[in-house]
Amino acid sequence: MLEGSRCYLRILTEEDASVFTKLVLDNKEYWSIFEPRHEASYFTVRVQKEKIRESLYQMRERKEYNFGVFDTETSKIIGHISLYGIKRLPFSSGFIGYSIDELASGKGFGTEAVSLVTKFAFDKLALHRVEAYVSPRNTSSIKVLEKSGYNREGLLRKLLYINGVWEDHYVYAKIENEF
């Protein structure tokens, strides 16, 4: 568990599949603005449980860590954040991706979650570099990354296919000596 002042992060387990599926369903429209479309089956407990199971396998292999973001006051799940695509030397890097519940957005939870995972990446996993992709239209996520000390390094043209369109994304990164 990674603890902050407003939220804490905990690795999702199969027991979380039902509440996590509800979170995904509740934010289906909100999150779909910047994420690829999903089949209807994606929004089922069965599929989310399988995704969690796969993530736990990836964690054992030290390639991915998938956390639920929980409000410290209520212990309610309000989002998720992943450190994924972890590569060892010569790269020693990984990517972060996150989504916060629409009702909890704009309250600092995303910034704190990114900071907690970044600290985990550098302190516990000894990574050298953490990266994130973000749509130029996603001003909220850009603010989260910049508040967390990430630097914009460039624009990746037509990187992701989202809602029927190839979308550009900025690449942001933080290096261990900037932490």
Side-chain angles (χ1 to χ4, degrees):
M1 183 164 1
L2 307 178
E3 295 187 63
S5 60
R6 307 201 62 227
C7 67
Y8 63 91
L9 311 181
R10 178 177 57 74
I11 294 293
L12 290 173
T13 66
E14 290 181 51
E15 290 76 29
D16 296 311
S18 292
V19 293
F20 187 69
T21 302
K22 182 179 179 340
L23 177 72
V24 170
L25 267 170
D26 289 348
N27 289 279
K28 183 178 181 179
E29 295 302 318
Y30 180 62
W31 290 349
S32 72
I33 297 168
F34 299 113
E35 294 181 5
R37 288 187 182 143
H38 298 288
E39 299 290 327
S41 62
Y42 177 84
F43 301 96
T44 64
V45 172
R46 180 186 58 78
V47 168
Q48 292 306 317
K49 188 178 279 191
E50 184 55 40
K51 289 179 68 54
I52 290 170
R53 203 175 287 133
E54 175 60 24
S55 181
L56 291 170
Y57 171 77
Q58 293 294 328
M59 184 179 71
R60 285 190 294 275
E61 298 293 314
R62 300 186 63 200
K63 294 180 181 178
E64 174 180 307
Y65 295 83
N66 188 28
F67 298 93
V69 179
F70 296 85
D71 183 325
T72 300
E73 284 185 21
T74 64
S75 292
K76 179 183 175 195
I77 189 167
I78 55 166
H80 67 93
I81 185 166
S82 296
L83 178 62
Y84 65 97
I86 297 171
K87 299 178 201 162
R88 297 298 169 187
L89 288 174
F91 295 101
S92 190
S93 65
F95 289 90
I96 58 168
Y98 49 90
S99 295
I100 300 296
D101 180 77
E102 183 175 16
L103 299 175
S105 66
K107 298 178 181 175
F109 292 113
T111 302
E112 187 167 62
V114 167
S115 295
L116 288 168
V117 166
T118 303
K119 181 176 177 19
F120 173 75
F122 292 135
D123 286 353
K124 300 295 184 198
L125 303 181
L127 295 183
H128 169 70
R129 175 183 174 87
V130 180
E131 301 177 44
Y133 295 147
V134 61
S135 168
R137 298 181 297 111
N138 194 343
T139 55
S140 296
S141 190
I142 289 170
K143 286 178 189 174
V144 164
L145 291 168
E146 290 177 350
K147 282 182 185 178
S148 300
Y150 281 71
N151 295 300
R152 184 184 307 171
E153 294 188 334
L155 178 71
L156 302 171
R157 298 178 308 124
K158 312 292 184 211
L159 178 70
L160 291 175
Y161 193 70
I162 298 175
N163 297 320
V165 178
W166 285 101
E167 297 249 357
D168 296 345
H169 276 67
Y170 291 131
V171 61
Y172 275 78
K174 192 166 189 174
I175 309 299
E176 66 181 321
N177 66 346
E178 299 168 345
F179 174 65

